[in-house]
Amino acid sequence: MAVNGMDWNAASTGGSASEANTAGGAGRKPRLADRLRCQLEEEIATGKLPGGTRLDETGLARRFGVSRTPVREALSSLASAGLVETRPRQGAIVAGLSLGDLIQMFEVMAELEALCTRLAARRMTEAERQRLEQTLHACFEAADPGRPNDYYEANLAFHEAIYAGSHNPYLAEQTRQLRNRLQPYRRTQLTGPGRIETSCREHAEIVEAIRQADAISAEGAMRRHVTIQADTFAELAARLPESPAAVDNA
């Protein structure tokens, strides 16, 4: 069955290299559950599935023309990231999130990422710096506005290299958990005009500061990189309810 121009059963045996990597390593075919998760993430981020929406396994399986197993796996993954809640007698529900919630979460995210970067500038080994530069080159290679998902995967690898370079596993895990919660909204940011090119330039600034072991400059560059800009606020405001109460009543 084709949904949004995609044959979901056929999709389980194909896809881009970035999607294959997401599914568990280069050269591997993407799992159908991962593709379903990405589709549902996008619909949550764009407001097509607002907070409070019930996600019925049977209905989703019918919609995408698949069995309930990949749907169940996709919902479980979304629940682990905090995008979906499981409620008694209701099943899976899209987690309520207001614009205010989102702004506050991005503020915390910017500080966590900035701290990771400050520590990485001080602690990264030469091998880790080289690895970071490789991820930067990969970002530039994937910087095609027509392939935002490819760039998003390269962007994730860039940030993961910085988390590892902080040499603080607890901080890295906390940052990763919040990043996963914000994942669909961060992915949506990359669709803005010129945003991928700007992101690449910001990455290069961060790498240069780390290369110079300038912890303060690296921290500031990352904070600016992650902070939501005014135009993005306007986009999110158009998609999300104004208050948590509005979400709960959806």
Side-chain angles (χ1 to χ4, degrees):
M1 176 181 293
V3 178
N4 293 336
M6 178 181 292
D7 187 329
W8 285 87
N9 286 302
S12 65
T13 59
S16 69
S18 65
E19 289 166 330
N21 290 340
T22 304
R28 290 186 57 185
K29 295 178 180 178
R31 297 171 61 249
L32 181 53
D34 294 323
R35 298 179 71 89
L36 289 169
R37 174 183 54 77
C38 287
Q39 176 66 27
L40 292 172
E41 276 183 355
E42 179 182 353
E43 294 182 7
I44 291 171
T46 58
K48 185 175 181 179
L49 292 175
T53 300
R54 183 169 178 266
L55 300 175
D56 176 63
E57 288 184 10
T58 302
L60 289 173
R62 186 181 305 112
R63 174 190 169 193
F64 291 112
V66 299
S67 71
R68 292 176 60 181
T69 298
V71 171
R72 188 176 301 114
E73 292 176 0
L75 293 178
S76 177
S77 179
L78 291 170
S80 296
L83 295 171
V84 166
E85 300 172 355
T86 301
R87 300 179 182 176
R89 297 183 300 281
Q90 290 182 293
I93 304 292
V94 176
L97 190 65
S98 71
L99 179 61
D101 294 332
L102 196 58
I103 291 171
Q104 292 168 21
M105 292 168 72
F106 265 101
E107 287 177 343
V108 174
M109 187 74 210
E111 293 305 315
L112 290 175
E113 293 263 7
L115 178 55
C116 284
T117 307
R118 173 159 58 87
L119 294 178
R122 294 175 177 174
R123 299 175 178 178
M124 266 188 165
T125 65
E126 182 57 32
E128 288 171 332
R129 288 194 182 93
Q130 291 178 5
R131 169 58 184 157
L132 178 62
E133 292 186 10
Q134 290 172 358
T135 66
L136 175 63
H137 293 320
C139 285
F140 275 99
E141 290 176 355
D144 180 346
R147 298 184 296 122
N149 286 341
D150 288 351
Y151 183 78
Y152 185 78
E153 298 303 331
N155 178 66
L156 284 181
F158 176 84
H159 285 266
E160 282 289 347
I162 291 177
Y163 301 163
S166 74
H167 291 263
N168 187 320
Y170 179 78
L171 173 63
E173 181 58 26
Q174 296 302 306
T175 306
R176 190 175 295 111
Q177 287 182 9
L178 185 53
R179 181 199 70 195
N180 290 342
R181 180 66 176 87
L182 292 170
Q183 181 166 287
Y185 305 98
R186 296 186 72 175
R187 188 187 297 271
T188 299
Q189 282 185 283
L190 295 176
T191 62
R195 179 54 199 162
I196 288 179
E197 293 81 356
T198 300
S199 177
C200 279
R201 291 196 298 271
E202 292 168 349
H203 283 181
E205 181 183 356
I206 292 165
V207 170
E208 180 58 28
I210 290 176
R211 187 184 293 125
Q212 299 296 327
D214 186 344
I216 300 303
S217 294
E219 177 182 37
M222 179 60 83
R223 184 179 291 110
R224 291 189 296 274
H225 175 61
V226 176
T227 299
I228 301 181
Q229 303 302 315
D231 57 346
T232 307
F233 280 141
E235 287 294 324
L236 292 173
R239 296 170 178 170
L240 295 171
E242 296 181 354
S243 68
V247 174
D248 291 339
N249 293 328

